[in-house]
Amino acid sequence: MRDAARVRERALFVAARVPNELELQARWFAGEFGREFVSVTGDKIDIVQFGTWNREAGPDFRDAAIRINGSAPVAGCIELDVLDRNWETHGHATNDAFEQTVLHVFVEKSEREFFTHTKSNRNVPQVRINPAELPDAFSANIPLAKPGRCQAPLKDLPEDRVNSVLDAAANFRLRQKAARLRRKIDNHGADETLFQEIAGALGYKQNKLPFTLVAQRLSLKYLREHPNESDAFLFGIAGFLEAPDLAVYGRSTREYVRDLWDKWWPHRAEMQRLILPTNVWKITSTRPMNHPQRRLAALSILARQWPAFRRSLGQHNVKAIRNFLGSIEHPFWNTHYTLLAEPASAEMALIGESRIVEILANVIFPFWLNEDVDLTNDYAKLPARLTNRRVETGATRLFGDDPRRKGFLKTVAHQQGLLQIYEDFCLQDNSDCAQCPFPEQMQKWTAS
Ligand code: SF4
């Protein structure tokens, strides 16, 4: 009995992460909740257009369009709230600015029956979304970094077999990423989608949300129409141009900041609603070279040089992408860490090699796959430059102190494969490995 006994270890305090409204809105706009819904009264609702982030008073998105029960598209605005009753408690029902709303999206339903109507008493269809259905997201299950039950069969599996398990999982994950990208492209077009996804990747994990929001709110199209103001608009919307006192900046920075301000202030009032709140940024754990302000500058240059980027993408060649992204330069940001820091003594790359690899793995390869270009070998060869907590936890659970562990995770593809197994099995497991089918699958591989 003692041999077979298991101790069920669970984290003491596990709480589901509650996404804030801003994140829900960003993911709604990206189309992550899909575009086909059933309203609370049973009508079929199709999103024809997600519209644009609203700069003015009123609902969150304007110039959207929906189809109700297959009817002709109805144009108007979309409002997203966490609670359905916010429509009433926030006064939307009596506010003229909400008159054009065609859809109210919410997460939590009230106890009482609730109807959404505008000031003129027009009923607004309501759709409920469920964040728990998002692919990655809001899991409350946090697996512990300790060896799992699958470690024994994996240890007995020859190296080439383990590699092929990781390859298969990596290819599956790549296809999933490509499918997600395809859906976003259907919603926003290839260029805007690529721009938003690269922005998200430039934000790293900590600042993915603010970067995605900045790119959604200041579209690539808009930035390309205002190439001389792109730095100013990006820094303004990001909320980095709020300090009115030039004296806080060092001498070498003052001229650059003055230029940003001169270009931003005439537009500030009209864009006020789109400025990100300061607390959305996570700055403290960021290395100076990776500071969001440097990444925003890179995004600005990318927007300005978009046709050249698209040409490098069209070559279907890792080297061309590396050369393009690696050579992005900015006269100010080549030698500055932040607006407030003293200049560095030497020039620094705006997008370093590890970030380029992340962009390749998460955006470029999935994009190429959608173009039916088979670059599986190039993908398999991408060297892993970074690791992260999830990869390390997964590696500890699957490989423990197996001396081959490091070798298994030398490539991005294998890290991605490991993450897929971690998400598909470890994150789904509530039995401390006891009920997980993965070890038995591995045992079959060993026996065959
Ligand atoms: S949950 Fe499954 S895959 Fe994860 S460590 Fe346990 S046995 Fe392995």
Side-chain angles (χ1 to χ4, degrees), residues 188-204:
H188 295 289
D191 288 303
E192 294 295 344
T193 301
L194 281 167
F195 186 63
Q196 289 165 19
E197 292 292 302
I198 293 173
L202 287 175
Y204 289 70

Side-chain angles (χ1 to χ4, degrees), residues 15-292:
R17 188 169 79 84
V18 180
N20 63 35
E21 196 165 282
L22 207 50
E23 180 172 351
L24 287 168
Q25 289 166 340
R27 300 187 77 161
W28 162 268
F29 185 73
E32 291 185 34
F33 290 97
R35 56 193 311 165
E36 292 172 6
F37 303 91
V38 176
S39 77
V40 292
T41 52
D43 290 315
K44 187 172 176 298
I45 307 283
D46 296 319
I47 309 297
V48 181
Q49 280 286 341
F50 282 87
T52 57
W53 282 84
N54 193 0
R55 292 181 192 180
E56 290 153 24
D60 299 310
F61 305 102
R62 55 180 298 166
D63 302 323
I66 66 166
R67 211 187 286 279
I68 305 171
N69 294 325
S71 67
V74 185
C77 303
I78 296 177
E79 170 71 359
L80 190 154
D81 288 311
V82 173
L83 309 174
D84 62 350
R85 61 181 174 276
N86 283 358
W87 182 270
E88 231 167 41
T89 54
H90 291 176
H92 303 337
T94 54
N95 185 341
D96 285 329
F98 282 77
E99 191 55 48
Q100 302 306 318
T101 312
V102 292
L103 188 67
H104 183 226
V105 181
F106 68 91
V107 177
E108 283 178 35
K109 190 159 169 47
S110 311
E111 299 264 302
R112 65 189 172 86
E113 205 56 36
F114 184 87
F115 293 103
T116 321
H117 63 87
T118 62
K119 195 175 174 191
S120 67
N121 221 17
R122 181 175 54 80
N123 180 245
V124 178
Q126 280 186 302
V127 154
R128 186 179 186 183
I129 52 172
N130 181 5
E133 284 171 5
L134 288 171
D136 53 344
F138 312 114
S139 170
N141 189 9
I142 304 165
L144 301 175
K146 57 167 198 151
R149 196 163 65 85
C150 55
Q151 208 182 106
L154 277 169
K155 254 193 180 131
D156 292 338
L157 214 55
E159 193 172 323
D160 60 336
R161 283 294 186 89
V162 179
N163 283 333
S164 67
V165 169
L166 292 172
D167 283 337
N171 281 330
F172 176 75
R173 190 173 179 85
L174 181 61
R175 280 176 200 289
Q176 277 195 323
K177 282 182 199 271
R180 276 206 290 275
L181 197 70
R182 177 80 258 157
R183 286 196 289 276
K184 287 187 182 174
I185 289 171
D186 288 345
N187 296 336
H188 295 289
D191 288 303
E192 294 295 344
T193 301
L194 281 167
F195 186 63
Q196 289 165 19
E197 292 292 302
I198 293 173
L202 287 175
Y204 289 70
K205 199 165 186 302
Q206 313 92 294
N207 287 307
K208 185 170 191 254
L209 175 63
F211 265 87
T212 303
L213 283 163
V214 162
Q216 287 182 352
R217 292 176 169 194
L218 276 176
S219 66
L220 173 69
K221 181 170 177 286
Y222 188 78
L223 288 171
R224 292 211 27 84
E225 285 166 1
H226 302 84
N228 295 329
E229 287 91 11
S230 63
D231 280 19
F233 288 173
L234 284 164
F235 278 74
I237 291 284
F240 292 144
L241 295 181
E242 295 298 290
D245 182 9
L246 272 176
V248 300
Y249 297 103
R251 200 161 44 87
S252 69
T253 307
R254 228 168 283 158
E255 200 180 315
Y256 175 64
V257 176
R258 187 191 298 277
D259 184 55
L260 291 179
W261 277 3
D262 286 348
K263 289 171 175 165
W264 169 242
W265 285 116
H267 300 274
R268 189 177 179 277
E270 79 197 58
M271 296 206 194
Q272 175 75 37
R273 186 175 174 191
L274 301 183
I275 299 173
L276 299 190
T278 338
N279 63 5
V280 79
W281 292 102
K282 308 255 180 321
I283 307 280
T284 44
S285 54
T286 319
R287 290 173 58 208
M289 265 180 64
N290 301 335
H291 194 282

